[in-house]
Amino acid sequence: KYGNMVRIVADTGDGGWKHFSEDKRGNVFDGWPNCMNMFDGFIHWSQITGRNKVIPDGDFIRLNTFNTDAEKESVISLQLMAGGPITVADQHNTIGDNLKFYQNEELLALNKDGFVGKPLSDDLWNAKNQIWYGQMSDGDYIVGFFNKEDNEYDRTLDFSEIGIEGKVKVRDLWKHQDEGEAEASLSYKIPGRSCKIVRLTKSE
């Protein structure tokens, strides 16, 4: 009732993919913390979050504890897709070349806009919880296709699932590239421990 921002996950601790996705995966506990990993926490709390509502905090991000660029893109993307803050915990002697992941202006625009996305499912064991979506204040849709598994998987979104009609222009927010137009659906093969974040703009 009185909270502006609420932590929705256990302490970052050693960080890494374990804290992002694996620690006691698929469980919600009655006491603190409700969830032991960020992904489960954001899914569970998505039931009450939204624009101008309580902000879900996935705790500090330590990019130096992740193994690949794709993992680093995933942790930044999920925080912003869920409406959370980007809380940098790398230090001057640990950040290495990771600063660029914190400085993606096309993704930071979500936070500035007050964007809050939702998963297609809030069931912790339904793979649709790895597709997130929401609308910017200008009407554009942001869609995140995540893969928290170790192997490559297809991720498909039917536009009817989120209320999109007609053609949209597609832009990849990590590659900073326009990718043409799409109609009715989007489908991607997402490598293990990776994501793809796109902005969908109605075609003229």
Side-chain angles (χ1 to χ4, degrees):
K1 179 178 179 180
Y2 300 106
N4 173 263
M5 183 164 64
V6 176
R7 176 104 78 77
I8 50 82
V9 68
D11 294 350
T12 293
D14 293 331
W17 197 257
K18 179 181 179 181
H19 183 255
F20 176 70
S21 172
E22 292 180 340
D23 197 6
K24 294 183 174 57
R25 180 174 167 180
N27 289 286
V28 176
F29 302 99
D30 290 335
W32 168 257
N34 290 145
C35 296
M36 294 300 295
N37 69 76
M38 290 181 184
F39 221 114
D40 284 351
F42 281 125
I43 292 168
H44 178 63
W45 278 72
S46 70
Q47 299 171 66
I48 64 167
T49 58
R51 190 178 286 271
N52 299 318
K53 295 183 178 180
V54 66
I55 298 168
D57 172 23
D59 204 22
F60 294 111
I61 300 172
R62 296 178 58 200
L63 286 186
N64 65 294
T65 64
F66 290 83
N67 294 322
T68 66
D69 287 358
E71 288 185 2
K72 295 167 188 176
E73 290 176 357
S74 294
V75 67
I76 294 290
S77 298
L78 182 64
Q79 296 265 2
L80 292 170
M81 286 296 305
I86 296 299
T87 50
V88 182
D90 295 276
Q91 299 183 36
H92 69 93
N93 60 341
T94 65
I95 196 164
D97 65 350
N98 290 320
L99 190 60
K100 60 182 180 288
F101 296 100
Y102 292 118
Q103 294 179 320
N104 183 336
E105 292 294 338
E106 291 195 71
L107 275 167
L108 292 176
L110 276 63
N111 184 275
K112 293 175 182 177
D113 187 75
F115 174 94
V116 181
K118 301 279 187 179
L120 283 182
S121 172
D122 59 21
D123 179 346
L124 296 184
W125 291 104
N126 187 329
K128 286 193 172 184
N129 67 34
Q130 297 184 55
I131 299 178
W132 286 66
Y133 71 97
Q135 272 188 289
M136 301 287 280
S137 58
D138 66 1
D140 285 2
Y141 280 84
I142 308 294
V143 181
F145 299 87
F146 292 90
N147 182 3
K148 56 183 177 176
E149 318 302 337
D150 292 332
N151 300 315
E152 180 180 88
Y153 278 93
D154 292 332
R155 295 282 180 256
T156 298
L157 170 71
D158 292 326
F159 288 171
S160 60
E161 293 181 273
I162 62 174
I164 295 179
E165 297 180 354
K167 291 183 180 180
V168 293
K169 292 181 284 188
V170 182
R171 181 171 177 81
D172 187 301
L173 299 188
W174 278 108
K175 294 179 180 177
H176 307 296
Q177 293 177 353
D178 294 328
E179 297 186 335
E181 292 186 325
E183 187 173 14
S185 67
L186 279 173
S187 185
Y188 298 105
K189 292 185 179 298
I190 307 296
R193 299 190 177 194
S194 300
C195 70
K196 185 177 181 71
I197 312 299
V198 295
R199 184 166 185 151
L200 309 179
T201 304
K202 290 288 285 184
S203 297
E204 295 297 332

